[in-house]
Amino acid sequence: MIEIVGREALLRKRKRAEFSDEEVATVRKIITSVKEEGDQALVAFTKQFDGVELDSLHVEEAELAEAVQAVEPKLMTALRHAAERIRRFHEKQLTASWIMEEADGTILGQRVHPLERVGVYVPGGRAVYPSTVLMNVIPAVVAGVKEVVMVTPPQPDGSIPAATLAAATVAGVNQVVKVGGAQAVAALAYGTASVPKVDKIVGPGNRFVALAKQLVFGEVDIDSVAGPSEIVVITDETADPVFVAADLLSQAEHGEDSSAILITTSADLATNVQTEVARQCKRLERGRIAQTALEKYGAITVVGDLQEATELSNQLAPEHLELMVADPWGLLGRIRHAGAVFLGPYSTEPLGDYVAGPNHVLPTAGTARFFSPLGVDHFLKKSSLLCYGKEALLRDGPQAMALAEAEGLGAHAAAIRVRLEREGAKGR
């Protein structure tokens, strides 16, 4: 099921998002149709792809209220508990505007503004992902975004799952649109009569959603082009093979293209985990999916020591990294690239997916080398402030002119020169 392989074979297990020419052409056609036909295209594509003929694209307030009442109290309690922890964590990320004044009166600074309107894509249809709603919406609300528009595909009866709508209410969504797929991304990017144009689109989706986000980038901002879910677990001989196997399977069940990798210093543990994965997989409802993922993109490799283990993990730059070793905090300093790091045997990755507080929208496919988890900063923009007085102009003007002239930009130099001459100073 999950093979024990060497280092080079392990590195070949990495999965990257790639799109065919046919997929690109299809999504471009959908985007163009939405740009040109607006709501009419959204209704047509929803009927074509989801088998649903919509009378209205919007979820009404009454429908949201009914969803909250329909959800089991146990789930509502969990949603509110998770939302509070997510909100509390992300409030720590808030960045304030600042100003500094120099001795000569020059004032420099930075103003921080939230984006005005953000679109959140939530996978739907027969699937239910309330955690996705919380993780994508709450950082935007904490940042101060004025309007959050959520798009999600309808179920066969034209409704949206009650759990999804309840999460939207808890998180603070302003409006919910019953549209999914590439057409929903296009609607958010360009706007229609029913769907307002947004400044940024965040949230996961299928291949066509990911590709649509990539193609509309520039018209709007996006969070990232997310790839399949992935986990790396580093262990020594102290790890519990039952825990390790369970955590590998927790990511493998996401989809057949998910990646689950164990890097261990113990050959005995490697064998025990291999056996335990096979045993646990048989009991899972999504066991067949997990098994396929492990066969294609799962692997176990035995390394000489933890230094080698961290070097290999840094090469992979995984979305999720678990450190199940005797001294996880001692090992943390060697980790340079990972979307989220889970330390110790009780910090299982699914806690991060739901209730811990840090965002579960993480860089995939090795992009943790340069991308960060979704957070409040993704919903903020910054403007620089510059206020020069006469003394500062006299001090810096000649240097700025020298640089402008070196670059052949005479008008730049002239804009400074006329001010220096007005003040009776020479430009050189």
Side-chain angles (χ1 to χ4, degrees), residues 219-230:
E219 182 66 33
V220 293
D221 191 16
I222 64 172
D223 49 356
S224 65
V225 179
S229 185
E230 56 196 37

Side-chain angles (χ1 to χ4, degrees), residues 79-395:
L79 287 171
R80 293 189 175 110
H81 175 79
E84 176 57 30
R85 292 187 62 82
I86 295 165
R87 186 174 292 109
R88 186 174 63 182
F89 178 86
H90 287 84
E91 283 173 348
K92 295 289 186 181
Q93 298 178 340
L94 280 167
T95 302
S97 299
W98 55 269
I99 287 177
M100 67 176 188
E101 185 170 358
E102 298 180 347
D104 60 7
T106 300
I107 297 174
L108 303 174
Q110 179 175 270
R111 296 186 69 196
V112 180
H113 299 275
L115 302 180
E116 291 190 13
R117 184 184 291 132
V118 167
V120 174
Y121 188 97
V122 177
R126 291 179 174 82
V128 182
Y129 295 110
S131 64
T132 297
V133 180
L134 300 182
M135 291 291 184
N136 283 273
V137 174
I138 290 174
V141 173
V142 169
V145 173
K146 293 180 180 178
E147 187 175 0
V148 179
V149 182
M150 188 177 98
V151 295
T152 187
Q155 299 180 105
D157 65 357
S159 68
I160 304 299
T164 301
L165 294 182
T169 301
V170 170
V173 172
N174 299 99
Q175 59 177 298
V176 181
V177 182
K178 301 179 182 182
V179 177
Q183 61 271 23
V185 174
L188 291 171
Y190 297 100
T192 72
S194 298
V195 184
K197 175 180 170 60
V198 302
D199 301 311
K200 183 164 189 165
I201 302 171
V202 301
N206 63 20
R207 293 178 59 77
F208 294 99
V209 170
L211 176 54
K213 287 170 66 178
Q214 180 174 295
L215 292 176
V216 301
F217 175 66
E219 182 66 33
V220 293
D221 191 16
I222 64 172
D223 49 356
S224 65
V225 179
S229 185
E230 56 196 37
I231 187 170
V232 168
V233 182
I234 294 178
T235 75
D236 55 19
E237 72 283 354
T238 66
D240 187 328
V242 175
F243 290 1
V244 176
D247 290 0
L248 293 172
L249 287 165
S250 76
Q251 294 309 291
E253 76 168 349
H254 270 294
E256 294 182 354
D257 54 359
S258 298
S259 172
I261 289 172
L262 168 62
I263 305 172
T264 182
T265 59
S266 170
D268 287 342
L269 184 87
T271 302
N272 291 337
V273 168
Q274 193 177 33
T275 301
E276 188 63 29
V277 164
R279 186 185 71 81
Q280 292 186 28
C281 191
K282 293 176 182 177
R283 305 195 310 239
L284 297 176
E285 184 177 343
R286 295 172 64 86
R288 182 167 294 182
I289 292 172
Q291 180 176 342
T292 301
L294 291 173
E295 289 172 352
K296 292 168 61 178
Y297 301 110
I300 299 172
T301 193
V302 181
V303 295
D305 54 33
L306 289 177
Q307 176 66 33
E308 185 181 353
T310 56
E311 289 173 358
L312 185 53
S313 177
N314 283 328
Q315 281 188 266
L316 293 168
E319 178 186 18
H320 307 101
L321 172 62
E322 291 188 354
L323 303 181
M324 271 200 247
V325 296
D327 181 15
W329 288 100
L331 197 61
L332 181 61
R334 301 180 188 177
I335 303 302
R336 299 190 308 278
H337 308 305
V341 184
F342 301 77
L343 295 96
Y346 300 111
S347 305
T348 180
E349 189 280 335
L351 288 173
D353 278 346
Y354 297 114
V355 297
N359 211 286
H360 77 197
V361 181
L362 301 167
T364 60
T367 59
R369 292 178 295 109
F370 46 84
F371 277 153
S372 302
L374 187 71
V376 170
D377 275 350
H378 287 82
F379 301 99
L380 299 173
K381 61 187 182 69
K382 302 174 178 71
S383 302
S384 299
L385 295 177
L386 303 89
C387 180
Y388 262 62
K390 184 193 301 184
E391 290 184 17
L393 172 70
L394 295 174
R395 180 196 68 209

